[in-house]
Amino acid sequence: MEGIRSSSVLSCYYSSKTHFKLRRQPLEHCFLSLPPPPPPPRHPASRPKVRISLPSMAHQVQDQQSFHKSKEMLPKIDKSGRFCSPRAARELALLIVYASCLQGSDPIRLFEKRINAAREPGYEFDKASLLQYNHMSFGGPPVTTHSVEEADELLRSDEQDSAIEAEILSAPPKLVYSKLLLSFTRKLLVATVDKWDNHVLAIDKVVPSNWKNEPAGRILELSILHLAMSEITVLGTRHPIVINEAVDLAKRFCDGAAPRIINGCLRTFVKDLAGTSTAQTSNSKLEVPLQV
C-alpha cells in the first residue's frame, strides 16, 4: 500500500478474482453519505384474476409459533423503549457493511456518521413502531389467498409492514437501538474490517463457484459470511448461535438457496477452524525443549 496518508480510510473495492476487498485510500475519495438501508426482498401480493392453487398453512403456523417463542425467550425492547435484541445489532451491522460495499467507503466511518447525524428540525420518531417491527419476517413460499378480498388485505398488511420497516431503518440509530446494541454493532464492524482480507481467503474456499463468478450480485450473502466469521473468530460467540443468526439474516434479506448455502459454508469454516486448532495443539505437544 503505497502513498497512504494520515487522512486515508479503509474502503471496499471489487476484485475480479473473488469479491469485494478492503484497501486504504485518501479520505476525499470516499463517499460518507449513507443511503437508505435496502429493504428485504419480498414476494409482492398480486391481485389474483383466478382462483389459485395454494400451499398449506402449516408453514405459516410454524413461523408464527417460532416467532412468539423467540419473543418469550428474549425481550425485544428495553426499559428505554429501544431494541435490545442482538438480532437487531447484527441486522444493523449487515446494512452498514452492505452500504459501504455499494459506495466504496469505510464501514466504521459510515456507522459513526450515521450515529452522529443531526436530526432534521421537527423530526419525531414513534417508538410504538418498534413493537410492530418483526425481525423474523422472512420471504418464503407463495402467500395463501383464496379471494380478491384476501389478496387486497394481504397487500395492505404488506404495505403497512414496509412503511414501519422504512421508518425504523431510516431513523437515527440512537432512537432505535440501545447503547449496548450500538456498542456491540461497532465491535462487530471493527472485527469484520480487521479480519476482512483473511476471511476473503476463507470464503473463497467454501462458497460455490457461481458465487465467485458473480460477486457483485452476492454482496449481501458475502457480507453475512464476513460478519459471521468475524463474530466467531474475534468476538468468540458460540458458533451455533452465529450460524443460526446468519441463516436467519439470509432468509430475511436474501433469496433462493442463500440460507442453505450460508449454513453449509459456515459449518465448513467452523470445521476447518477446529481442525487447524487441533493440528496446532498436536504440534505444540510434539515439540520437545532442548536440553542445555
Side-chain angles (χ1 to χ4, degrees), residues 87 90 138 224-225 227-233 236-251 258-273:
R87 167 67 59 84
R90 295 184 179 99
F138 303 138
I224 291 174
L225 288 174
L227 288 166
M229 290 178 177
S230 300
E231 185 173 354
I232 292 172
T233 58
T237 307
R238 293 175 55 241
H239 70 265
I241 296 175
V242 177
I243 294 176
N244 180 68
E245 291 290 298
V247 170
D248 282 351
L249 285 175
K251 289 179 181 178
R260 177 179 56 81
I261 294 175
I262 286 177
N263 178 67
C265 289
L266 290 177
R267 291 189 181 280
T268 302
F269 173 73
V270 169
K271 183 179 180 181
D272 292 344
L273 278 181

Side-chain angles (χ1 to χ4, degrees), residues 67-257:
F67 172 61
H68 291 302
K69 183 178 180 181
S70 66
K71 287 182 64 178
E72 294 174 359
M73 294 174 59
L74 191 65
K76 187 175 184 178
I77 61 175
D78 60 10
K79 294 181 180 179
S80 67
R82 295 174 173 84
F83 282 146
C84 63
S85 168
R87 167 67 59 84
R90 295 184 179 99
E91 183 178 284
L92 176 60
L94 174 61
L95 298 181
I96 294 294
V97 172
Y98 177 68
S100 71
C101 286
L102 287 181
Q103 62 187 65
S105 55
D106 175 31
I108 301 173
R109 285 184 176 268
L110 281 176
F111 176 72
E112 296 293 347
K113 180 178 175 63
R114 181 84 186 276
I115 292 294
N116 298 319
R119 303 180 197 174
E120 297 181 2
Y123 175 80
E124 293 184 3
F125 176 68
D126 182 13
K127 288 188 176 182
S129 61
L130 296 178
L131 291 173
Q132 303 176 43
Y133 184 77
N134 185 2
H135 293 289
M136 303 293 287
S137 175
F138 303 138
V143 294
T144 302
T145 65
H146 294 282
S147 66
V148 173
E149 290 74 17
E150 289 183 18
D152 289 341
E153 179 61 29
L154 184 62
L155 180 60
R156 283 191 294 269
S157 175
D158 184 74
E159 290 175 346
Q160 182 180 2
D161 292 342
S162 297
I164 293 173
E165 185 174 81
E167 180 181 4
I168 290 176
L169 296 182
S170 62
K174 289 183 179 180
L175 299 180
V176 178
Y177 306 92
S178 67
K179 291 182 179 180
L180 186 62
L181 280 195
L182 292 177
S183 176
F184 175 59
T185 301
R186 194 180 192 285
K187 289 180 180 178
L188 188 52
L189 291 174
V190 170
T192 301
V193 170
D194 289 344
K195 289 290 185 178
W196 189 280
D197 289 341
N198 291 339
H199 289 155
V200 165
L201 301 177
I203 289 173
D204 285 342
K205 295 178 181 179
V206 296
V207 297
S209 58
N210 62 314
W211 283 25
K212 298 179 184 180
N213 297 332
E214 51 178 23
R218 298 293 178 180
I219 302 177
L220 272 173
E221 291 86 344
L222 297 173
S223 297
I224 291 174
L225 288 174
H226 274 289
L227 288 166
M229 290 178 177
S230 300
E231 185 173 354
I232 292 172
T233 58
V234 180
L235 302 188
T237 307
R238 293 175 55 241
H239 70 265
I241 296 175
V242 177
I243 294 176
N244 180 68
E245 291 290 298
V247 170
D248 282 351
L249 285 175
K251 289 179 181 178
R252 178 154 170 72
F253 291 100
C254 308
D255 56 9

